[in-house]
């Protein structure tokens, strides 16, 4: 009963956070559901361990296997985690926003979407390019929309006499 009450309180807190920031806030929209799920999962895992301890079941071996499983999961999902941290870095640092023109490595285009795993840009030829967020956070990025000076090349035809 106590765990269900704590889980309900966590749901209420996350709902209030969501409504206080508004649905248009990018960080809240992208990361709040994942954070809510992780928090609720941890609450229920702790609850199960407390139940097992109250039944005098030794949980030391179970915890050891859980750590081994967690390590294997972390190794297997390191690219996913790198993309999640990359997207968090992009959103928090505000390097670019949707509609900005950017250049990453050899890709240049207008940002159309920033997700938790990739950034979608439309290049000058009209092709859609998906760049993983871990690449964007590692490589040098040039925000072409925020530069002060623009270089224009004008070609002037000479009139033949």
């Amino acid at each position: 009963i106590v765990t269900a009450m704590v889980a309900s309180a966590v749901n209420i807190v996350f709902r209030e956070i969501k409504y206080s920031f508004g649905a248009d806030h990018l960080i809240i929209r992208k990361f709040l559901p994942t954070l809510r799920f992780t928090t609720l999962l941890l609450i229920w895992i702790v609850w199960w361990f407390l139940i097992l301890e109250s039944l005098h079941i030794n949980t030391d071996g179970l915890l050891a296997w859980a750590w081994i499983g967690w390590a294997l999961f972390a190794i297997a999902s390191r690219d996913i985690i790198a993309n999640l941290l990359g997207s968090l870095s992009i959103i928090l640092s505000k390097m670019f926003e949707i509609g900005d023109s950017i250049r990453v490595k050899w890709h240049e285009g207008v940002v159309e979407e920033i997700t938790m795993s990739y950034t979608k840009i439309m290049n000058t030829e009209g092709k859609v390019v998906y760049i993983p967020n871990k690449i964007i956070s590692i490589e040098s990025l040039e925000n072409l929309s925020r530069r002060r000076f623009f270089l224009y090349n004008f070609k002037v035809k000479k009139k033949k006499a």
Side-chain angles (χ1 to χ4, degrees):
I1 295 175
V2 173
T3 306
M5 289 172 43
V6 171
S8 295
V10 166
N11 277 329
I12 291 170
V13 167
F14 277 102
R15 189 171 358 117
E16 290 299 318
I17 290 172
K18 180 180 178 181
Y19 290 127
S20 67
F21 280 101
D24 59 334
H25 200 273
L26 192 60
I27 296 173
I28 299 302
R29 223 177 2 153
K30 299 286 183 187
F31 291 100
L32 196 65
T34 306
L35 186 62
R36 180 183 155 271
F37 174 77
T38 306
T39 305
L40 289 174
L41 182 67
L42 287 175
I43 288 171
W44 285 105
I45 288 172
V46 168
W47 178 76
W48 276 106
F49 274 104
L50 289 175
I51 292 293
L52 291 174
E53 284 289 330
S54 69
L55 296 173
H56 303 293
I57 297 173
N58 188 5
T59 58
D60 293 342
L62 188 60
L63 281 173
W65 280 107
W67 279 110
I68 291 170
W70 179 254
L72 291 175
F73 174 76
I75 290 169
S77 62
R78 71 174 186 259
D79 285 340
I80 295 170
I81 294 169
N83 281 328
L84 290 175
L85 293 175
S87 64
L88 186 62
S89 169
I90 289 168
I91 293 169
L92 290 177
S93 65
K94 297 182 180 178
M95 294 186 287
F96 57 87
E97 297 172 352
I98 295 174
D100 283 356
S101 180
I102 63 169
R103 181 182 302 142
V104 180
K105 275 190 163 184
W106 52 84
H107 299 292
E108 181 178 334
V110 176
V111 177
E112 289 193 340
E113 184 180 9
I114 303 170
T115 68
M116 291 177 70
S117 59
Y118 62 85
T119 298
K120 176 178 154 185
I121 65 171
M122 176 81 71
N123 67 10
T124 55
E125 300 166 358
K127 296 178 183 174
V128 177
V129 180
Y130 296 93
I131 305 172
N133 288 331
K134 74 174 186 174
I135 303 261
I136 292 175
S137 64
I138 292 171
E139 296 295 327
S140 62
L141 174 123
E142 184 179 357
N143 190 336
L144 304 173
S145 298
R146 294 185 186 169
R147 60 184 171 186
R148 290 183 177 175
F149 304 103
F150 294 92
L151 179 63
Y152 293 102
N153 290 327
F154 294 103
K155 293 182 181 178
V156 180
K157 281 187 167 183
K158 289 184 179 180
K159 199 174 194 182
K160 293 183 180 181

